[in-house]
Amino acid sequence: QVQLVESGGGSVHTGGSLRLSCAASGRTFSSYAMGWFRQAPGKEREIVAAITWSGDSTYYADSVKGRCTISRDNAKNAVYLQANSLNTENTAEYSCEARTTDGELSSTERYDYWGQGTQVTVSS
C-alpha cells in the first residue's frame, strides 16, 4: 500500500502561484505513476497532471498546459505540482493519487491510492 500526504495548498489571488507537494510512503517501489487530481464543489474529480516514477512520461490536462509543471524526487518519494497563473477556476481540493498499473496516465480510474487532499483557493 502507498500512503500519500499532500501539502502546499492555500489561498492566493488571481495570477498567483502555489507549489503542491505530495509525500509518498509505503510500497512506492511498486507504484507506476503519481497524479494530481482536483475536485471543485459540485464538479467531478479530474486529473490535472501525472508522471511516472521513472520520469519518462508525463500528462497534463489541456487546461493547465503551460501553467503547471509536475515533477518528482525519487530520493524523497515525493511529487510536486508547480501551478502558476492561477485563476478562480482552479479553486478546488487537490489530491495526489498513485497507481500501480501501467497504461495511459490519463486513465483516471486506474489510480488506486488517494491522499487526503489540500485545498487551493484562488480569489479575484
Side-chain angles (χ1 to χ4, degrees):
Q1 187 177 4
V2 178
Q3 293 81 43
L4 308 171
V5 180
E6 302 97 331
S7 62
S11 298
V12 297
H13 289 95
T14 297
S17 299
L18 287 172
R19 184 173 183 263
L20 308 182
S21 299
C22 176
S25 61
R27 300 187 66 183
T28 56
F29 59 87
S30 65
S31 64
Y32 167 70
M34 297 289 295
W36 281 101
F37 291 73
R38 67 186 178 195
Q39 186 168 26
K43 296 184 178 180
E44 296 293 326
R45 182 178 67 102
E46 61 180 344
I47 189 169
V48 177
I51 187 171
T52 58
W53 278 113
S54 66
D56 59 352
S57 296
T58 57
Y59 168 82
Y60 293 97
D62 289 341
S63 62
V64 304
K65 288 181 178 178
R67 299 191 297 113
C68 290
T69 302
I70 189 169
S71 60
R72 86 274 187 264
D73 186 336
N74 289 3
K76 297 181 179 179
N77 289 325
V79 294
Y80 309 95
L81 183 70
Q82 179 68 43
N84 302 320
S85 300
L86 290 166
N87 56 60
T88 56
E89 294 182 346
N90 300 133
T91 295
E93 184 178 66
Y94 287 72
S95 62
C96 60
E97 302 182 18
R99 61 180 291 171
T100 57
T101 56
D102 59 2
E104 295 292 334
L105 295 179
S106 59
S107 298
T108 60
E109 70 276 8
R110 300 298 184 183
Y111 290 82
D112 306 307
Y113 304 101
W114 294 19
Q116 293 182 244
T118 185
Q119 180 67 38
V120 171
T121 302
V122 185
S123 62
S124 59

